[in-house]
Amino acid sequence: MEKSCTFLVHFDKGSPAIATEIKEALEGSDVSAKIDAMKKAISLLLNGETLPQLFITIVRYVLPSEDHTVQKLLLLYLEIIDKKDAKGTVLPEMILICQNLRNNLQHPNEYIRGVTLRFLCRLNETEIIEPLIPSVLQNLEHRHPFIRRNAISAVMTIYKLPHGEQLLVDAPEMIEKVLSIELDQSAKRNAFLMLFNCDQDRAINYLLTNVDKVSEWGELLQMVVLELIRKVCRTNRGEKGKYIKIIISLLNSPSNAVIYECASTLVSLSSAPTAIRAAASTYCQLLISQSDNNVKLIVLDRLNELKSSHREIMVDRIMDVLRALSSPNLDIQKKTLDIVLDLITPRNINEVVLMLKKEVMKTQNGELEKNGEYRQMLIQAIHSCAIKFPEVASTVVHLLMDFLGDSNVASAIDVAIFVREIIETNPKLRVSIITRLLDTFYQIRAARVCSCALWIIGEYCLSLSEVESGIATIKQCLGELPFFSVSEEGEAPTDASKNSQQPSSVTVSSRRPAILSDGTYATQSAASETSFSPPTNVQGSLVAVNLRSHLLTGDFFLGAVVACTLTKLVLRLEEVQPSKVEVNKASAQALLIMVSMIQLGQSPVLSHPIDGDSYDRILLCIRLLCSTGDEVRKIWLQSCRQSFVKMLSEKQLRETEELKAKAQVSYAQPDDLIDFYHLKSRKGMSQLELEDEVQDDLKRATGEFIKDGDDANKLNRILQLTGFSDPVYAEAYVTVHHYDIVLDVTVINRTKDTLQNLCLELATMGDLKLVERPQNYTLAPESSKQIKANIKVSSTETGVIFGNIVYETSNVLERTVVVLNDIHIDIMDYISPAVCTDSAFRTMWAEFEWENKVAVNTIIQSEKDFLDHVIKSTNMKCLTAPSALDGDCGFLAANLYAKSIFGEDALVNISIEKQADGKLSGYIRIRSKTQGIALSLGDKITLKQKGGS
């Protein structure tokens, strides 16, 4: 049987103590042996043993001991033993204990008195406590503060017992007198806490009487004052004006804990600009002064909450928040940047970008191991700033282009994407960006960054000099032709063998399926891009041949990109170069390069040949340069750019729509009462109180005080637990709030009998855990009872709650059991739609271990309708752009993403095809880091995908 426990002690099950050995040690005169024996006895009792034979031994041999440690252990022993029999009456031998406790309360030693008073705080037996009350009250006036503070705690505990008000009728009055003359801060705190819990009006009266002295009180007492203010203002919002002044005065406290609580209390009670500014200032002060990373993260969370509700005030604090970037912790840096990016305005953009540029420069020194990741975050932040405010792009783009050759591939890719977007949105910067890109192209090492840079060169080199420089740069980075020696092809190729073996340490020559941005699978040769071999140089030249080294490791996708870029440059050269000879010369050189790449791909020099897609793409470029038509020229020189512009505008439109959705607010009903601010009496009100009243009125007018969710939605969450014909009817209203599930169970007695010891017994399956033990209730005939049960959730697995209602009646001796329906906790309560980049999605897809593959089986015949149905059923966000889903080709691939409240990622890829008979076929793949979310989502999709429900 479970019992309540007030403390825990580690117990080594390997060598359990024997009761007879403990008894012998207690009867001896050796104090250290007695101490060890008492510790063993306490450990055994805490782990379920009863040891009834020890009680008399302890009374005879331990009670008289004068040793302080023995006396302390004796009190711990008395705390955990059963003091009542099976009927609930106090055991007669406890009278022996009473006499000892009374002696301890009058003991000349302060420590013995103090620990005994503390022991009384954990006693619930009125019969034992009642004879000791006079001794406890005498200790309220003891000269030592340690005794006084424990005596006050004991008085509070006694007063809170079921019949405590009768045992100590005038306790609040007595404690109020003690509080008025007490000088010790801990004792004052305990006395004020007693009034706060037992007689709130006296506590308020004392606070308002000493309002001028609050700032001089100790930290502990100030914390209790803040707790009292929160409680009072929740029940009576009309009086909060006078309390807010107390909180403002406490903001100057030297204690960080107090000023943090002050700021939190101010935000929860008031919306007045003065109060919110004070809270924001306090949080920023704590953010900078505290060295503990956990404190910084908590404060950043509070600032993030302030940002969502009081953005205008937080905008003024943006530079203070940015100072948190000095912390080396990545989580703190990420949270700081997230907050700052939402607070950028035309007024502060230049300051913010200047600060971010300085931080980027700092990451170049390479002292910190995570500099690469931090630099990537900074680059993304600057990118976001430049998109919102294009005028700052010119100040940052050239600095960031230095990082195109960064060893951290992710940050280099971010820079390339940033440059690609800026060159389109800021036409004035085009010439300078192209010139800088051509100058620094040889420094780029990652294949993906090379691909992006080549696309920029092919699209934005417009003048004659730019086109010629572009072709020359690509030729330099490819090195001399051919790529291998034909004469030695059968033996050991000279150039190829050197160059193909050298980068082998960073290359994985495998063909594995990869997920593309549209959700489809493709086979690619996977080259590791996390580290690089030293650059290979052309003989007699010092120019780094980065493109050549990638081609010689078998990266023919990059080869196809080179071919396309050269084709675009030659086509544009035809438009800007008057000399046909120069055009033909450039075209012939481009054709030679493309033929050499195909030759390399088909030779046995490389471990695997060129893939079909790249071969076809290069061949298409060769055909195009041999015979060019006007229509094809238009496609290559104009359509690509137009598609890119369309993609950017769609991205901007999506972001605008998301901002609009976030900005939606609830409105009040048309028949709600209006409180006219100018007609209010201002008598005796400070400026802060006036501001607070105005903000409250505004909140009422815009419907912010109206609770979310109407009663109709509540009805959907009520579950019937028993049948209508059962003697006890029960139904539950289930509320899921982050890590907690609250069951509000209504139990109705349908019989004419009184139900005794009625208990709601619950059990859980999955990662659910009951917080508290069930209590017994007595239910009158045809009456009802509300029972609340709290359950903790630790993962996103679908959990099941099941149980019984057990009760007794006076007519039947046996207990009656009513079995309850199971309650299934839905995964949809835990996950919410989220957004991530395509690259982040693909990275997670490759990393996550658990995959659940669900075959499509539905009566829905439209691919788009089926996708919408799955999104609605799974509460996920579609990452695939709407333009990619348009049209009617009989095939659809889309990526969905959601995040759970526990920070778990859920990835879904839908690939469906319409059959000849009109039915849809295909698969839905779910991937996650943990098994639970993958299985639960799979079950949900299987249940819902038919389309009928």
Side-chain angles (χ1 to χ4, degrees):
M1 180 185 168
E2 288 186 1
K3 293 184 291 185
S4 61
C5 177
T6 51
F7 68 94
L8 293 171
V9 176
H10 171 69
F11 179 62
D12 183 9
K13 293 181 180 178
S15 53
I18 302 166
T20 52
E21 292 177 3
I22 295 171
K23 192 175 179 182
E24 285 172 13
L26 291 174
E27 288 172 353
S29 57
D30 186 358
V31 174
S32 60
K34 276 188 183 182
I35 290 170
D36 287 339
M38 285 298 291
K39 286 179 179 176
K40 288 176 184 175
I42 290 167
S43 296
L44 286 171
L45 283 166
L46 284 173
N47 284 275
E49 299 291 335
T50 52
L51 307 178
Q53 68 275 30
L54 280 185
F55 182 76
I56 297 300
T57 306
I58 286 171
V59 169
R60 284 179 63 193
Y61 297 100
V62 178
L63 228 61
S65 174
E66 289 293 324
D67 185 80
H68 289 181
T69 309
V70 173
Q71 284 296 323
K72 174 70 175 171
L73 290 168
L74 172 64
L75 292 172
L76 291 176
Y77 169 79
L78 295 176
E79 194 176 311
I80 56 175
I81 60 168
D82 289 325
K83 301 168 196 69
K84 293 184 178 180
D85 57 19
K87 294 178 183 177
T89 54
V90 175
L91 295 166
E93 54 264 35
M94 289 300 139
I95 297 164
L96 299 168
I97 303 297
C98 276
Q99 184 57 45
N100 179 65
L101 293 175
R102 189 186 291 113
N103 293 341
N104 279 359
L105 290 173
Q106 294 165 358
H107 200 281
N109 183 277
E110 287 88 358
Y111 176 77
I112 297 292
R113 282 200 193 202
V115 291
T116 308
L117 286 164
R118 195 183 293 170
F119 163 71
L120 293 182
C121 295
R122 299 192 182 107
L123 276 187
N124 297 320
E125 288 74 26
T126 311
E127 294 88 342
I128 299 174
I129 289 173
E130 192 172 0
L132 304 174
I133 289 174
S135 302
V136 172
L137 296 178
Q138 280 174 13
N139 284 307
L140 286 173
E141 297 170 3
H142 195 276
R143 61 182 174 78
H144 203 287
F146 174 67
I147 294 172
R148 292 200 302 275
R149 82 174 74 123
N150 282 307
I152 293 166
S153 298
V155 168
M156 180 170 73
T157 309
I158 295 166
Y159 192 77
K160 286 167 74 176
L161 287 173
H163 302 290
E165 293 177 18
Q166 296 167 12
L167 294 174
L168 282 167
V169 181
D170 55 348
E173 193 179 330
M174 200 184 310
I175 296 296
E176 190 177 16
K177 285 178 186 172
V178 169
L179 183 57
S180 61
I181 58 170
E182 183 59 66
L183 297 175
D184 179 68
Q185 293 298 333
S186 295
K188 278 183 84 167
R189 179 255 180 197
N190 286 0
F192 190 78
L193 186 65
M194 189 272 174
L195 292 180
F196 168 41
N197 285 313
C198 304
D199 193 340
Q200 194 172 299
D201 291 338
R202 283 182 190 272
I204 294 167
N205 185 46
Y206 178 79
L207 174 62
L208 296 177
T209 308
N210 297 277
V211 72
D212 299 329
K213 299 176 186 174
V214 173
S215 55
E216 298 166 12
W217 290 351
E219 175 188 348
L220 294 170
L221 186 51
Q222 287 175 344
M223 295 287 274
V224 181
V225 166
L226 289 169
E227 197 177 335
L228 173 67
I229 290 172
R230 277 199 295 269
K231 187 176 178 183
V232 171
C233 293
R234 271 199 296 267
T235 53
N236 189 359
R237 295 189 73 86
E239 291 186 7
K240 64 181 179 178
K242 55 188 174 187
Y243 294 111
I244 288 173
K245 285 187 282 188
I246 298 173
I247 301 169
I248 296 283
S249 70
L250 285 175
L251 281 173
N252 300 317
S253 169
S255 164
N256 289 323
V258 171
I259 61 172
Y260 173 80
E261 285 298 326
C262 282
S264 303
T265 309
L266 269 181
V267 173
S268 64
L269 295 184
S270 174
S271 301
T274 309
I276 300 301
R277 275 193 203 94
S281 174
T282 303
Y283 284 143
C284 291
Q285 179 190 327
L286 287 170
L287 185 63
I288 297 154
S289 64
Q290 293 301 299
S291 56
D292 190 302
N293 286 343
N294 292 317
V295 174
K296 284 181 185 281
L297 287 168
I298 291 165
V299 171
L300 283 169
D301 283 337
R302 298 292 83 78
L303 286 169
N304 195 32
E305 288 166 11
L306 268 188
K307 178 203 73 183
S308 55
S309 52
H310 303 279
R311 186 177 182 275
E312 305 78 19
I313 291 166
M314 281 299 296
V315 164
D316 298 333
R317 291 279 163 195
I318 190 167
M319 296 313 291
D320 291 334
V321 176
L322 265 176
R323 288 168 70 184
L325 289 178
S326 58
S327 168
N329 184 281
L330 275 179
D331 292 328
I332 292 170
Q333 291 164 341
K334 186 176 185 309
K335 276 194 177 184
T336 304
L337 289 172
D338 288 344
I339 292 169
V340 166
L341 289 178
D342 285 341
L343 297 175
I344 293 170
T345 63
R347 261 195 349 223
N348 60 32
I349 181 66
N350 291 323
E351 282 183 286
V352 171
V353 169
L354 187 65
M355 180 82 168
L356 294 177
K357 276 169 68 178
K358 285 179 183 173
E359 288 296 316
V360 170
M361 302 285 277
K362 282 182 194 172
T363 61
Q364 286 180 296
N365 60 23
E367 286 176 14
L368 299 170
E369 57 181 73
K370 295 193 175 177
N371 265 352
E373 291 174 57
Y374 179 39
R375 191 184 307 126
Q376 186 188 355
M377 287 194 294
L378 289 169
I379 289 164
Q380 288 170 348
I382 292 171
H383 184 175
S384 179
C385 292
I387 299 307
K388 285 181 185 173
F389 301 94
E391 64 272 13
V392 301
S394 59
T395 63
V396 291
V397 69
H398 296 299
L399 169 72
L400 293 187
M401 286 179 77
D402 291 338
F403 297 101
L404 281 169
D406 196 348
S407 57
N408 182 300
V409 180
S411 66
I413 290 167
D414 282 334
V415 173
I417 291 167
F418 170 66
V419 171
R420 187 180 68 182
E421 196 163 338
I422 291 302
I423 202 170
E424 174 57 44
T425 53
N426 289 50
K428 292 177 184 175
L429 298 175
R430 186 192 65 77
V431 176
S432 61
I433 290 175
I434 282 293
T435 308
R436 186 69 184 273
L437 181 60
L438 292 172
D439 289 344
T440 57
F441 185 80
Y442 72 92
Q443 297 174 353
I444 300 173
R445 292 285 167 266
R448 286 175 65 192
V449 182
C450 282
S451 301
C452 192
L454 285 167
W455 187 88
I456 295 169
I457 291 168
E459 285 297 330
Y460 295 97
C461 286
L462 303 179
S463 68
L464 177 59
S465 61
E466 287 168 356
V467 172
E468 287 177 342
S469 298
I471 294 171
T473 301
I474 293 171
K475 280 172 64 183
Q476 276 184 339
C477 291
L478 284 169
E480 294 177 359
L481 299 178
F483 292 109
F484 65 96
S485 171
V486 180
S487 59
E488 299 178 20
E489 186 180 319
E491 303 166 18
T494 54
D495 193 13
S497 64
K498 288 175 193 171
N499 287 291
S500 61
Q501 286 170 17
Q502 189 181 2
S504 63
S505 61
V506 295
T507 304
V508 186
S509 299
S510 64
R511 295 166 90 72
R512 61 189 176 108
I515 187 162
L516 301 178
S517 58
D518 63 351
T520 54
Y521 285 94
T523 303
Q524 68 175 13
S525 54
S528 168
E529 294 182 339
T530 51
S531 56
F532 303 100
S533 57
T536 315
N537 293 343
V538 185
Q539 287 180 356
S541 168
L542 294 174
V543 180
V545 282
N546 49 352
L547 294 180
R548 185 187 190 92
S549 62
H550 283 299
L551 282 172
L552 292 174
T553 58
D555 191 347
F556 287 102
F557 176 77
L558 182 60
V561 175
V562 171
C564 291
T565 305
L566 285 170
T567 304
K568 285 179 186 176
L569 290 173
V570 170
L571 290 175
R572 193 159 281 120
L573 189 67
E574 288 177 15
E575 294 179 351
V576 295
Q577 172 62 270
S579 169
K580 287 284 179 187
V581 176
E582 291 298 323
V583 172
N584 289 339
K585 187 180 174 184
S587 181
Q589 287 173 340
L591 286 168
L592 180 60
I593 290 168
M594 293 178 206
V595 170
S596 299
M597 285 193 288
I598 289 178
Q599 194 180 17
L600 175 68
Q602 292 178 334
S603 73
V605 170
L606 300 182
S607 55
H608 55 268
I610 187 171
D611 58 283
D613 286 347
S614 301
Y615 177 81
D616 291 344
R617 190 86 171 146
I618 297 170
L619 214 56
L620 176 67
C621 293
I622 293 171
R623 287 200 189 108
L624 187 63
L625 288 179
C626 293
S627 57
T628 311
D630 289 340
E631 194 63 36
V632 175
R633 183 188 299 276
K634 186 181 173 185
I635 290 169
W636 278 73
L637 295 183
Q638 293 175 23
S639 299
C640 291
R641 176 96 65 88
Q642 287 166 1
S643 298
F644 179 57
V645 171
K646 189 180 175 187
M647 185 190 88
L648 287 181
S649 59
E650 278 185 0
K651 178 186 167 191
Q652 204 167 0
L653 187 69
R654 274 206 309 274
E655 287 172 357
T656 311
E657 285 174 356
E658 282 172 14
L659 285 172
K660 281 182 184 174
K662 281 182 186 174
Q664 283 180 351
V665 292
S666 54
Y667 296 100
Q669 295 300 319
D671 58 346
D672 279 359
L673 290 175
I674 299 173
D675 202 351
F676 288 97
Y677 162 60
H678 290 290
L679 301 180
K680 280 189 172 180
S681 167
R682 303 188 184 192
K683 196 175 178 183
M685 289 178 81
S686 66
Q687 182 59 33
L688 183 60
E689 288 174 272
L690 282 170
E691 280 183 22
D692 194 54
E693 290 279 348
V694 175
Q695 291 298 323
D696 280 359
D697 290 346
L698 279 172
K699 280 189 171 183
R700 285 191 197 93
T702 53
E704 279 191 51
F705 282 159
I706 298 168
K707 288 183 180 175
D708 296 333
D710 55 357
D711 293 336
N713 288 336
K714 283 187 176 181
L715 293 173
N716 296 333
R717 304 185 74 83
I718 291 177
L719 302 170
Q720 186 179 335
L721 299 180
T722 62
F724 291 116
S725 58
D726 284 318
V728 175
Y729 174 76
E731 63 183 23
Y733 173 57
V734 184
T735 310
V736 178
H737 182 71
H738 295 308
Y739 297 90
D740 299 298
I741 298 172
V742 179
L743 297 183
D744 203 341
V745 184
T746 304
V747 180
I748 303 171
N749 180 3
R750 304 283 300 280
T751 66
K752 301 288 184 186
D753 301 322
T754 300
L755 306 183
Q756 297 170 344
N757 294 331
L758 182 139
C759 181
L760 175 69
E761 295 178 346
L762 295 174
T764 57
M765 192 170 72
D767 283 337
L768 303 175
K769 189 178 179 184
L770 281 166
V771 175
E772 55 214 1
R773 285 171 39 201
Q775 289 182 306
N776 289 345
Y777 302 95
T778 300
L779 213 55
E782 297 182 348
S783 66
S784 63
K785 181 78 182 172
Q786 297 285 121
I787 302 172
K788 281 199 174 184
N790 289 316
I791 292 162
K792 285 281 180 192
V793 191
S794 54
S795 85
T796 324
E797 286 186 43
T798 302
V800 183
I801 303 168
F802 49 92
N804 312 310
I805 288 178
V806 184
Y807 62 89
E808 297 170 356
T809 57
S810 52
N811 304 333
V812 184
L813 293 175
E814 292 182 4
R815 304 193 82 186
T816 309
V817 179
V818 178
V819 181
L820 307 178
N821 286 334
D822 296 348
I823 301 171
H824 292 264
I825 302 302
D826 196 350
I827 185 177
M828 293 302 105
D829 292 322
Y830 303 135
I831 67 172
S832 55
V835 180
C836 73
T837 60
D838 284 345
S839 56
F841 186 93
R842 287 197 291 278
T843 305
M844 287 190 283
W845 188 271
E847 288 174 358
F848 288 174
E849 298 173 4
W850 294 99
E851 177 173 293
N852 190 2
K853 189 174 175 183
V854 178
V856 172
N857 178 19
T858 181
I859 56 172
I860 299 170
Q861 295 198 333
S862 162
E863 306 98 303
K864 191 77 173 63
D865 290 348
F866 180 72
L867 174 65
D868 291 340
H869 178 70
V870 171
I871 291 170
K872 188 180 174 185
S873 304
T874 56
N875 199 22
M876 299 188 88
K877 171 88 175 171
C878 182
L879 299 182
T880 309
S883 56
L885 302 172
D886 287 346
D888 189 12
C889 62
F891 174 80
L892 183 145
N895 293 334
L896 312 182
Y897 180 63
K899 219 171 174 64
S900 78
I901 57 170
F902 310 104
E904 299 166 311
D905 300 288
L907 313 178
V908 172
N909 172 252
I910 298 177
S911 297
I912 47 176
E913 188 181 6
K914 189 175 252 189
Q915 302 293 334
D917 58 359
K919 289 184 178 178
L920 297 180
S921 67
Y923 290 97
I924 300 168
R925 288 182 177 84
I926 305 144
R927 283 200 184 179
S928 66
K929 211 169 206 173
T930 54
Q931 184 184 20
I933 197 166
L935 293 176
S936 302
L937 258 182
D939 294 343
K940 187 77 180 175
I941 290 170
T942 306
L943 189 69
K944 293 277 188 178
Q945 69 166 324
K946 290 277 186 184
S949 54

